[in-house]
Structures are given as structure tokens and as C-alpha cells.
Amino acid sequence: MTVLGYLANGLVFSSIIVLGSIGLSLVYSIADFANFAHGDTMTIGAYSALVTFGAVGGLGGAVLGLPYGFFLALVVGIAVAAVVAVGTEKLIYEPLDIDSIGLLITSIGIAFIYRAVIQIRFGADFTRFDVEPLRPIEWLVPYGIRVTLHDVAIVASAAVLVIGLHVLLQYTDLGRKMRAMADNPDLARVSGIRTKRIKLWTWVIGAGLAGAGGVFLGLFNQLSPRMGFNLLLVIFAAVILGGIGSVYGAMAGGFLIGMINQLTPLLSRLGEVLPLVPDGFGIPIGIEYANAIAFVIMVAVLLVRPNGIAGEAAT
Amino acid sequence: MSALGDPRGALADLTRPEAWVLGVSVAFLLLLFVALLSGALGATYFLFLVGLAGMYALLSFGLNSQWGFTGLINFSVAAFFGVGAYGAALMTADSSPIAGGFNPIVGLIVGLSVAFVLAVLIGIPTLRLRADYLAIASLGLAEVVRLVVLNERWLTNGSAGLRGIPSFFAGWPVLSTFPQTMPGLRLEVIPGSPVFLEEPFWRASLNVLLVLAFAGATYLTLRRAHRSPWGRVLRTIRSDEDLARALGKNTYSFKMQSFVLGSLIMALAGVFYTHLNLYVGPGDLDPITTFYVWVAVILGGSGSNRGALFGGIVIVTIREGTRFLNDFAVPIDPAPLRLLLIGVLIVVVMRYRPQGILPPQRELIWPSAVDDSGTPDRPTSGVREQKHSDDRDGNGPNGGDDDE
């Protein structure tokens, strides 16, 4: 594959990571803990969509190689993920009287419960959406880009969701309140913002985006009960790289981490790709270490610039 | 000690949760005993479970000395466990791609040394981080270790794992042939269902002996260490790191010492696991191992080594009990059921008893520093130093000299 091909793959994977990392970052800043159940929220979205799609079928026409029914399933996946997250917040997190570390540990328990329920219902095996696999888009193949219409659909849907979130955060009342609360919860509260309600909305948005990310991840790869948990650390890497609490940082971090993840194969062929570097040169790291690279970047960012690329100067 | 000299007094001294745990444990032991005698539970398998429980207890001791005493959120338990296990296995196993065939003692030393190096390497970047960052970073680095073990086939045999591991006592004078020389016994308690005690049984009992030695030595060392001035500094760091720093302690160095100590204990558990299971694979480094140990520690009570022991036993009961359930009662795949139980356990403990079932009470202070008025019914902080700040030894965590 050519560099362009890897970049295209990176863009698709980035879209998924961005959807996951925005939600994680929102919850991290507003609910104030590292939510280890976020990855499994993605899994919930994916499996809800799988069930819905299986039930409603194609519903006639298709856009971008995906039947209408799939988009309905996507909406259901988003909704179920949001409902489950709000329910968990109401039932579990809200009554807890512990610090953010206690919440972090609790969220691991929640993650296990989500995954176990899915695994009991669907088994541990890989499954796929019942969508016909597509061939790569013809006129892009000569450039070495092998993306399908499905990949285009993933990127486009992610872009729509991200732009929607941007509009929500910048131009609506709810968005302003959320930003105020992320900035300083106490100040937000004394200025009359109902912080509890804003927190619930944060869960709805964060988990909804995660659900969408899960559906797309299922479309991009496959579905398995572990899919979300396996991606969780990569998403954490993206959030930390972007700066915890910054939604736009999370987008940038997600984009970078997704790209790096898919560009890993190029590392061993650096010489062919880059100018000014001798041809035989390369860093001998295989694709099996793609995630490891993300984790190492994460630790490095934590050390050098703990507030990430979009965060304020280190305090 | 005192419990032997004055059993009735010791019983009366127990707090309610202690009495509960004692009661449930005794009932559970009786149940196991009956199952053993009737042949429903194989004696060899039972000893294997005891070994496994001892291993989890060791892992919990290790995590306890990091999280319970110093407040370090270490999510890389599985990495240290795996490194210890692989270090021992690579040195001793027949199928080892690099060395193999060495005496298990060499394996023990290599496993611990590799864990030491890894602990320092992971500790240098992560121990300066805020608590929740440390959690994420250590989980990430543990995954890096797992990926290396899984993919570097020339070093670790990859996903095939390592087989042909000798027992820990291979090459020892008497103990290496002990299982063969012991006579096979045949016990018939209930007529018609005899219990056989043969070579595998004796081999398993050697393993139990080994883990008892490991866990006992660790327990005593930790108890001594945590009552020392060094241990008091660690507890100060846990409750208020800035205070410890203001008192002139180099908290980074203390945290590193605690991290390395805990990691070595986890690696020791790994070494034992190698010789218990006689097979090591990359699956043993799965993050779930880390969270099993976390459940054991928070369930037992963070900072309490008795609690860690109790938690370890509960974990083995869940691990093996789900398998049993699957065979006899509920036809649910044991893997997700186990996951569900662990998850529910975490949530329930954090919801209703975040300090754990057996929070540390008396074990952190020298017995001579406590007055004789017995244990309070509901300790608020678990440690009763504030009340006795004018006593000889109980002058708070910041008291006494230390080794800096």
C-alpha cells in the first residue's frame, strides 16, 4: 500500500477514535473521573445496533452502500448506549460517596458487568453486521487507496456528529453550561446552573458518541464483547494527548492517535517514504505493536506535558 | 500468640465483620472437609486450589504494599506476575527458546531480577504522576509488556507458551524425590468411596508447603516493615503526600521503594505459579489478572494483609466455583459469569463498604502501643493513633526517626 492508502485508513480509524475520545474527555472533565467503562459503552452501542439491524432489516434503499435500516440501527445504538450510561449514573455513580479514585475503580466493575452481560447473551465469538462487504472504490485504487463506501460513510457520519457537537457546545445554552461546568463546577453551581442535570446531559452526549463509535468500529472491523475494552486504552491515549477536559483537544488527540495507529507499518519502511532518509532505513516495529506505540506516547505526554496539546500550561 | 493463650478473650475482642468472616470461613472449611472426606472433592485438586489461593494472597500482599499502604494505583499487576512467571519458566522449562534446564532457584532469582528492573523502569516515569494518570499509564505499560511477550517469539515462544516446567524442588536433595518415595495411601472414611493419596497428592502438598513458606515470609516481612518508621512514612504519603513532603521526606523515593517491593512480591507469586501450573502462556498476562487482585484487595480492605488473604480465597472460590456451577447447576459459560461476579463484587463493595470487609485495625500498630480497652465497634479511620498521640509509640505517622 502507498502512503496515501495508509493515510486514508488512518482517517477512517481516527473517526472512530475521535467519537470515543470526545465522550471520554467530556465525562472525565464534568463527572471528574476516568471512566473505564467507556470502552464497553461502545460495545453496548455496537451490539444494540446489531440486534436492531437484524430485526428491521434493510428497509428498502441504501446510502453509501449502507441500507436505511443500518442508519436506524445506528440511532438505536446511540440511544441505548446513552440510556445505559444515564441509568448507570443514576443507579450506581450518583449514590456513591467516594472520591474520584473510588469512582474509577467502580467504573471497572461496571465495565465488567456490561461486557459479561453482552458475552452471556451473544457469546465470545466475533460477529459482523449483516451488510454486504463492498469492493474498494474503483477510481481510488490506482492511487493505492483501498477504501470502501462504508469507510466513507464512517468518516462522513463521524464528521456530522462532531460538527453537531461543536454547534451544540458553542451556540446553545446547554453547551455553554457544559463548558462552564467543565471549567469550574462550583462556580457553575453558584451561578445557578443545575449541575446535576448538566451531568446527565454529559453522560447522554458522551455515551451516545461512544455508541456511534462502537457501531462504526463494528462496521470497520468486527464485533466481539472485548472490542470496546481493547480500544479503551487507545482512546485514553488520545484523550491524554489532547488534554483531559478539552473536547477539541480530544478530537485532535483522537485524530493523531488513529493516524499513528494505522501508519505503524510505515515505520519499518521510513527510508522509502521520507525524503532525505537513506532507503534502507526503518524502525523495525511491526503492526502488532501499533497499540503499544500509542501507550508509550501516552506515558510520554503525561510526563512532558500532562495537560496535553490543547490543555493550559502545566500547573 | 494471644489468641492461643486466651482464646475466649480473643474471640470477644473481634469486631462484627471479623466475627462474620471467621464464622463463614469456618463453615466453608467444614464444607470443604466434608467434601474431601466423601471424595466429592479430589484431595489433589483441593491442594491445587490451596496453592492458587496462596498465590492470589501473595499477589494481594504485593498490591497491598503499593495501594493499601502507599496509595499507588498500580494496574500493572499482571505484568509483574507474568514477568516473574516467564522469568522462572524461561530458565527452567525444556521448551524454553533461550536457556532452559536450569535449577528452579536460578529461575526464581532471574524472575525476581527481571521484575526488579521492570519495576524501576515503569516506576521512573509513572510514579510522579497524579493518581488517576498513574492508573491509566500503568495499565498501558502492562499492555506493552503483554504485547512483547505475545509477539517476541524468539524470546518467549509467543502464543504457544512454555511447557515442560519442572517442579520447584527438582534437584533438591530429599524433596525432589519426595512424591515418588511416599507410599500411596488409601483412606476409606465413607464406605464405598475411598480417597487415594498418591504421587500427585504428595507433589501438590509440596507446592502448598512452598506457597505457605512464600506467603508466610512475605506476611511477616510486610508486617514488620509497615510497623516500622518506613511504613509510617508510606501511610503518611497515602493520606497526604504534601504533608509527607513538608516533613522533609523524599516521597518519590519512598514511593519507588514501595512500588519495587510490591512488584517483587507479585513476581514471587508468578514464580510460584509457574511451578504450580507447569505451563505459562501470554494469557496469564491478561489485564483480568490485575483486576482479580484488585478485587481481592478492596474486598478484603485496602491496607489490611489479613483482608488480602481473605480476598485471595474469595477470588479462587469465584474462579473455580463458576466452573463448578457450570458443570452442575447453571448452564452459563463460566468466563462471563466470573466477569459478572467480579464486576458486581467491585460495585457492591464500593457502594456499601468502600473500606473493605476487614479494614486494618490493630495490625498497623505495635500491640504495646494499644491500650486494653478493646476494639471500637465502628472504627472511623481504621487506625487509632490520633487517640493515643501521647503514648510511647503511637505518636502518629510523622513520629519517630526514619532511615533517610
Side-chain angles (χ1 to χ4, degrees):
Chain A
M1 261 205 297
T2 61
V3 179
L4 273 180
Y6 285 115
L7 283 176
N9 274 355
L11 186 65
V12 181
F13 191 61
S14 292
S15 311
I16 297 166
I17 301 288
V18 165
L19 289 179
S21 59
I22 292 172
L24 189 60
S25 185
L26 271 178
V27 171
Y28 210 145
S29 63
I30 292 180
D32 196 29
F33 70 96
N35 180 17
F36 274 71
H38 195 74
D40 294 275
T41 311
M42 296 177 78
T43 319
I44 289 181
Y47 274 88
S48 312
L50 181 77
V51 172
T52 316
F53 189 52
V56 299
L59 293 183
V63 192
L64 290 172
L66 290 170
Y68 292 150
F70 185 82
F71 290 97
L72 179 68
L74 172 65
V75 172
V76 172
I78 293 175
V80 171
V83 167
V84 168
V86 168
T88 311
E89 157 75 9
K90 275 273 163 208
L91 277 176
I92 312 279
Y93 296 133
E94 209 178 271
L96 282 181
D97 182 26
I98 40 179
D99 57 354
S100 63
I101 298 303
L103 285 171
L104 188 160
I105 296 172
T106 312
S107 74
I108 294 172
I110 300 287
F112 286 174
I113 294 175
Y114 287 174
R115 201 210 303 176
V117 169
I118 289 173
Q119 202 171 327
I120 288 174
R121 171 70 185 73
F122 296 95
D125 295 333
F126 289 94
T127 36
R128 285 185 160 281
F129 286 113
D130 190 18
V131 185
E132 210 166 302
L134 295 180
R135 299 182 58 76
I137 301 172
E138 287 287 336
W139 59 272
L140 283 174
V141 172
Y143 301 99
I145 302 174
R146 300 179 66 84
V147 293
T148 63
L149 272 178
H150 290 168
D151 297 333
V152 176
I154 291 176
V155 176
S157 315
V160 167
L161 287 171
V162 166
I163 291 170
L165 180 73
H166 169 74
V167 170
L168 177 100
L169 282 178
Q170 294 298 331
Y171 303 108
T172 66
D173 203 36
L174 174 66
R176 271 190 283 274
K177 285 176 181 169
M178 282 174 66
R179 284 187 289 144
M181 206 182 147
D183 215 36
N184 187 334
D186 295 329
L187 197 57
R189 192 140 173 226
V190 293
S191 13
I193 295 173
R194 295 192 176 126
T195 47
K196 254 190 189 163
R197 199 175 290 175
I198 302 298
K199 212 187 216 177
L200 281 187
W201 276 110
T202 308
W203 280 105
V204 169
I205 296 169
L209 290 174
V215 176
F216 293 141
L217 183 65
L219 186 64
F220 183 65
N221 280 328
Q222 286 166 319
L223 294 98
S224 79
R226 277 195 72 129
M227 59 191 270
F229 194 78
N230 286 343
L231 202 66
L232 177 70
L233 273 171
V234 180
I235 294 174
F236 262 120
V239 169
I240 286 168
L241 178 61
I244 286 168
S246 155
V247 170
Y248 298 99
M251 292 177 193
F255 181 75
L256 280 175
I257 290 286
M259 278 292 179
I260 293 169
N261 195 292
Q262 296 290 311
L263 290 179
T264 309
L266 284 182
L267 277 181
S268 50
R269 310 177 8 209
L270 273 183
E272 301 165 42
V273 176
L274 294 178
L276 300 176
V277 178
D279 243 10
F281 181 79
I283 304 169
I285 293 182
I287 37 168
E288 62 270 24
Y289 288 112
N291 288 349
I293 293 174
F295 306 153
V296 172
I297 292 177
M298 169 175 83
V299 174
V301 171
L302 282 176
L303 276 180
V304 180
R305 198 175 158 80
N307 289 338
I309 42 182
E312 295 144 31
T315 44
Chain B
M1 297 168 289
S2 62
L4 292 179
D6 178 17
R8 191 165 300 163
L11 267 183
D13 255 4
L14 294 179
T15 56
R16 240 176 49 201
E18 282 177 327
W20 265 101
V21 168
L22 191 69
V24 171
S25 313
V26 168
F28 189 59
L29 273 181
L30 279 178
L31 181 79
L32 285 179
F33 192 63
V34 170
L36 269 177
L37 285 186
S38 63
L41 180 66
T44 312
Y45 180 58
F46 171 70
L47 288 184
F48 175 78
L49 293 188
V50 172
L52 216 53
M55 183 198 89
Y56 274 107
L58 259 181
L59 283 170
S60 312
F61 289 159
L63 181 61
N64 219 353
S65 68
Q66 295 174 341
W67 158 248
F69 289 93
T70 324
L72 305 171
I73 305 203
N74 177 13
F75 279 170
S76 48
V77 177
F80 292 108
F81 171 72
V83 160
Y86 262 93
L90 283 174
M91 284 299 123
T92 55
D94 299 337
S95 63
S96 163
I98 49 168
F102 282 106
N103 190 300
I105 296 288
V106 180
L108 175 73
I109 294 167
V110 169
L112 292 188
S113 328
V114 177
F116 178 83
V117 173
L118 183 72
V120 173
L121 283 181
I122 291 190
I124 287 174
T126 55
L127 289 183
R128 291 185 198 279
L129 299 174
R130 218 174 74 185
D132 48 347
Y133 291 177
L134 172 59
I136 301 165
S138 57
L139 189 55
L141 291 177
E143 277 295 284
V144 174
V145 172
R146 188 179 71 86
L147 287 173
V148 169
V149 168
L150 182 63
N151 291 312
E152 297 303 315
R153 206 155 292 139
W154 59 271
L155 178 68
T156 62
N157 224 5
S159 54
L162 293 165
R163 291 176 194 284
I165 299 164
S167 114
F168 186 78
F169 295 103
W172 288 41
V174 181
L175 291 175
S176 63
T177 53
F178 173 79
Q180 284 89 336
T181 47
M182 280 304 282
L185 292 181
R186 186 172 180 282
L187 297 178
E188 191 161 334
V189 181
I190 296 167
S193 57
V195 180
F196 293 100
L197 306 179
E198 283 161 342
E199 200 189 312
F201 172 81
W202 298 113
R203 191 169 296 139
S205 46
L206 272 187
N207 274 331
V208 169
L209 223 60
L210 179 66
V211 79
L212 284 182
F214 279 176
T218 310
Y219 183 85
L220 293 178
T221 315
L222 284 183
R223 200 174 65 160
R224 181 66 188 83
H226 289 139
R227 282 175 177 175
S228 71
W230 183 79
R232 287 206 294 267
V233 176
L234 294 189
R235 271 179 286 141
T236 314
I237 292 177
R238 180 190 166 132
S239 48
D240 189 344
E241 190 176 343
D242 290 334
L243 173 66
R245 212 176 284 150
L247 291 167
K249 311 296 180 207
N250 180 355
T251 54
Y252 180 67
S253 144
F254 274 98
K255 277 155 86 176
M256 180 62 95
Q257 290 162 19
S258 162
F259 189 72
V260 169
L261 175 68
S263 305
L264 285 181
I265 298 172
M266 292 167 191
L268 187 64
V271 172
F272 170 73
Y273 177 75
T274 297
H275 295 290
L276 175 75
N277 202 33
L278 304 183
Y279 166 75
V280 185
D284 295 325
L285 276 79
D286 195 276
I288 189 76
T289 309
T290 299
F291 296 117
Y292 277 146
V293 180
W294 267 90
V295 171
V297 168
I298 60 173
L299 176 72
S302 306
S304 151
N305 281 335
R306 297 176 308 171
L309 189 62
F310 173 69
I313 294 169
V314 171
I315 288 299
V316 173
T317 313
I318 289 181
R319 259 190 63 159
E320 301 298 316
T322 46
R323 191 170 297 169
F324 175 79
L325 264 186
N326 181 45
D327 288 348
F328 291 98
V330 200
I332 295 181
D333 188 19
L337 190 62
R338 209 175 289 158
L339 207 60
L340 185 69
L341 281 177
I342 295 284
V344 169
L345 206 56
I346 294 179
V347 172
V348 167
V349 170
M350 294 316 277
R351 173 81 176 84
Y352 295 104
R353 210 175 158 81
Q355 75 273 41
I357 291 181
L358 293 173
Q361 283 168 20
R362 283 163 290 210
E363 59 183 11
L364 292 181
I365 8 181
W366 288 106
S368 58
V370 189
D371 62 359
D372 293 328
S373 62
T375 323
D377 245 352
R378 288 185 65 88
T380 45
S381 63
V383 183
R384 301 199 296 156
E385 287 153 338
Q386 303 97 317
K387 228 169 95 187
H388 306 280
S389 51
D390 46 355
D391 275 11
R392 281 167 298 158
D393 259 20
N395 48 354
N398 47 350
D401 54 330
D402 62 71
D403 48 359
E404 253 201 327

